[in-house]
Amino acid sequence: PETASMFAELQRTIAADDLEASVVFVDPNYDLVEYYRAIDVFLLPSREDPGPLVCLDAAAVSKPLICFDGAGGMAEFVRGECGFAVPYLDTEAFAEKIIAFYEDREMLRSMGINAAAKVRREYTADVVAPKILAAIDKVDQTRLPIEKTLINANPAIKPPM
């Protein structure tokens, strides 16, 4: 119910600002890759998002990114080669980078190519899965047996005999 009312409010705001021709709501089940292919640059104006996969999806189809520095993991991804991380909440800097891509199509193209290459090089399952498994193994090897853990946490608890 709350989501429905928020959506209705958003639709009213769009209508009041005469933006119906510019704003498109996508079916949440639609394959977004076609939308990523249709854009020039992917914008992530989130104030906090630790590692948005939508950015990697857009980058995988050669779209450079613009995001806020300090808002999550994408700033490290884009740094100079795959797009731009602008100062946190600096919307003017954000707009300036959009204009920079508009005015320099070669930069747009080359950063998009870099983004796709970086996704293939560092973010595929073949690359990431072994790292995740290694981290799990490391934690698993350092875990104490349950009895010792319980004793250390609460000396009143005695291990089963």
Side-chain angles (χ1 to χ4, degrees), residues 58-81:
V61 292
S62 301
K63 303 306 173 183
L65 312 168
I66 302 173
C67 63
F68 288 123
D69 197 11
M74 279 302 106
E76 289 76 28
F77 177 84
V78 301
R79 291 269 187 253
E81 64 174 344

Side-chain angles (χ1 to χ4, degrees), residues 118-130:
K118 190 169 190 176
V119 168
R120 285 190 303 276
R121 186 175 64 246
E122 299 178 25
Y123 292 91
T124 63
D126 291 342
V127 173
V128 176

